[in-house]
Amino acid sequence: MDAAEFRQRGKEMVDTVADYLENIQKRPVFPSVQPGYIRELVPESAPETAESWEDLFGDIERVVMPGVTHWHHPQFHAYFPTANSYAALCADMLSDAIGCIGFSWASSPACTELEMVMMDWLGKMLDLPQEFLFCSGGKGGGVIQGTASEATLVALLAARNQTIHREKEANPALTEADIMARMVGYCSDQAHSSVERAGLLGAVKIVKLSSDRKQSLRGETLAQAVQKDKEKGLIPFFVCGTLGTTPSCAFDSIEELGAVCNLEKIWLHIDAAYAGSAFICPEFRYLLSGVQFADSFNFNPHKWLRVTFDCSAMWIKDSSKLVDAFNVDPLYLKHDNQGKVPDYRHWQIPLGRRFRSLKLWFVLRLHGIKGLQEYIRQHVKLAHEFEALVLADERFEIVAEVVLGLVCFRLKGANDINEQLLQRINQDGRIHLVPSKIGNTYFLRFAVCAPYAESKDVQFAWTVLTELATELLKEKK
């Protein structure tokens, strides 16, 4: 394919993408294929000679689309949203064309510098403390990670490195292995599995602490755990507080956790992967209270801020702690301007990185803060509309407070009837939901996900739900 053909085929692909997104509601939200279906549709080996664009293009519908779960479908209500916008799609096209690997400032100055500015823009939109921003002139700053899971791991490893150095200074006879064997981190029993996984990868113990009746981790619980572990000779070093948990969108008490961490010199990382986008709206910013105590903070614009995957925004108060943990500096990566600007390879797990800040630049400029605020508010409004429908039907109950775009609900009664209801919903295929559990209570999660979700989509989903619930309850009687 040369430039002339790319102009033609690129326009065809743009039309295909636009047609797909404009007509996505006509497709089944969830695929009906079985594992291994693609092997039956494609050859065993790559072609020896080039095939035509027409043959390849035709195979998109024949091979790929039958196995796609349509995350931007108006009846996709599973997990949390994954963001999308035409602005971000255009930015990714440009990023792929430039194709730089921005591991250092010298490898592509624009890649580093635009990211620095965009992270400041985004931090100001959330009203983060100045210490987190490059423009403060201090040690703080932001970086785009691939996922919130990566951000948690990066924070944990930086906290581990800081603790090892501190313990060795106090007792030079200690080895790293001695110190790591005694280190312990904490999170809520509602925290994402990636926190536990970060502990596995970092070879340190993570303890899940009990949350309260609102699924919030409180300061007193943390303080008691820290005291008990210190009495056992352990070294508390890391806490991950969650704002907007995956099971029920609950919020840990960051003010209380932060006070404990500050007193005990424990690294506090905040995971706000989903909920963080809402903090651009002043009315939801109270949920961010206590962020001043944090050493690092993260949320995913690629979940709810119209920026396509991957774009996970992470800020740190003292970037030297990341550099100390990850700095490997061979001669071939050195350049004349080292130390004047960040070399982002020292802020992350991989060496290479894409020009992801272009997506933020395009989206923030073409949507504006007000446009993004209204987008968030519309999703929250639709969630409360669904909540009202649940509350109006005496057969159902709400399981957790509806704060943002997630509604946790269930049929009153035993878990098994709710498991059967979910099975029928997903087998029916008109809408797609996933379940969760708090304690022993099984429930269904209704997340507002589609970029262009409307009231009619909520009403349709409720109609399907009540129809299937009525059939199920009749059979049970």
Side-chain angles (χ1 to χ4, degrees), residues 361-372:
W361 194 43
F362 275 46
V363 168
L364 296 183
R365 291 185 65 182
L366 294 175
H367 288 265
I369 296 173
K370 288 185 177 179
L372 294 169

Side-chain angles (χ1 to χ4, degrees), residues 78-344:
Y79 315 109
F80 279 131
T82 180
N84 201 354
S85 67
Y86 293 114
L89 292 174
C90 288
D92 256 345
M93 186 184 295
L94 177 59
S95 173
D96 289 343
I98 293 172
C100 64
I101 310 298
F103 47 75
S104 70
W105 179 87
S107 70
S108 196
C111 185
T112 294
E113 295 201 15
L114 186 62
E115 184 161 336
M116 294 172 67
V117 175
M118 289 304 99
M119 292 303 292
D120 276 0
W121 279 17
L122 199 53
K124 289 175 183 177
M125 288 166 62
L126 272 61
D127 198 22
L128 289 181
Q130 280 290 309
E131 304 99 294
F132 283 113
L133 307 182
F134 287 113
C135 61
S136 69
K139 293 183 177 181
V143 58
I144 300 175
Q145 305 285 0
T147 65
S149 303
E150 284 179 48
T152 300
L153 177 58
V154 165
L156 181 139
L157 293 176
R160 188 187 74 175
N161 186 66
Q162 172 185 263
T163 305
I164 289 171
H165 284 307
R166 188 171 61 213
E167 292 296 318
K168 277 191 168 186
E169 285 177 8
N171 187 350
L174 290 173
T175 66
E176 286 194 15
D178 293 332
I179 297 167
M180 286 174 57
R182 293 164 51 210
M183 290 168 70
V184 59
Y186 308 92
C187 66
S188 161
D189 56 8
Q190 300 298 304
H192 195 269
S193 59
S194 59
V195 184
E196 186 177 6
R197 191 163 184 261
L200 290 174
L201 294 171
V204 290
K205 182 181 181 182
I206 297 292
V207 174
K208 293 182 179 180
L209 302 177
S210 297
S211 52
D212 67 9
R213 60 184 182 82
K214 288 190 173 182
Q215 292 77 57
S216 174
L217 179 58
R218 306 298 298 274
E220 184 179 356
T221 303
L222 174 62
Q224 290 174 356
V226 168
Q227 187 58 38
K228 286 180 181 178
D229 285 338
K230 286 171 70 177
E231 289 170 0
K232 295 176 186 175
L234 300 179
I235 306 170
F237 82 106
F238 177 79
V239 171
C240 182
T242 307
L243 297 178
T245 60
T246 300
S248 63
C249 198
F251 294 82
D252 290 342
S253 178
I254 301 300
E255 283 276 7
E256 296 178 6
L257 300 180
V260 176
C261 290
N262 189 258
L263 178 65
E264 299 288 349
K265 295 182 172 57
I266 297 172
W267 185 295
L268 176 59
H269 175 69
I270 298 176
D271 173 8
Y274 164 67
S277 296
F279 304 152
I280 68 169
C281 301
E283 65 268 31
F284 298 124
R285 218 167 277 156
Y286 73 95
L287 297 164
L288 193 53
S289 179
V291 68
Q292 70 273 11
F293 290 113
D295 294 278
S296 51
F297 172 81
N298 168 252
F299 87 99
N300 288 343
H302 68 230
K303 272 192 168 63
W304 206 12
L305 212 59
R306 308 307 304 270
V307 180
T308 48
F309 187 86
D310 55 347
C311 182
S312 187
M314 179 186 187
W315 290 265
I316 184 165
K317 275 184 180 170
D318 186 349
S319 61
S320 68
K321 294 178 180 178
L322 287 187
V323 176
D324 288 346
F326 299 118
N327 188 358
V328 177
D329 211 17
L331 180 61
Y332 54 81
L333 295 180
K334 293 181 182 294
H335 58 90
D336 292 340
N337 290 291
Q338 281 191 198
K340 297 178 183 177
V341 290
D343 283 333
Y344 272 132

Side-chain angles (χ1 to χ4, degrees), residues 357-415:
S357 58
L358 282 171
K359 294 187 285 192
L360 275 175
W361 194 43
F362 275 46
V363 168
L364 296 183
R365 291 185 65 182
L366 294 175
H367 288 265
I369 296 173
K370 288 185 177 179
L372 294 169
Q373 288 173 334
E374 287 308 308
Y375 178 74
I376 297 290
R377 289 169 179 145
Q378 170 67 3
H379 274 202
V380 175
K381 179 182 176 183
L382 292 174
H384 284 298
E385 180 179 339
F386 186 84
E387 177 192 25
L389 293 170
V390 174
L391 291 171
D393 191 323
E394 61 182 13
R395 300 173 299 174
F396 289 87
E397 61 185 351
I398 296 291
V399 176
E401 181 183 4
V402 178
V403 180
L404 298 176
L406 177 70
V407 183
C408 301
F409 71 105
R410 70 197 299 272
L411 280 169
K412 294 174 181 176
N415 284 345

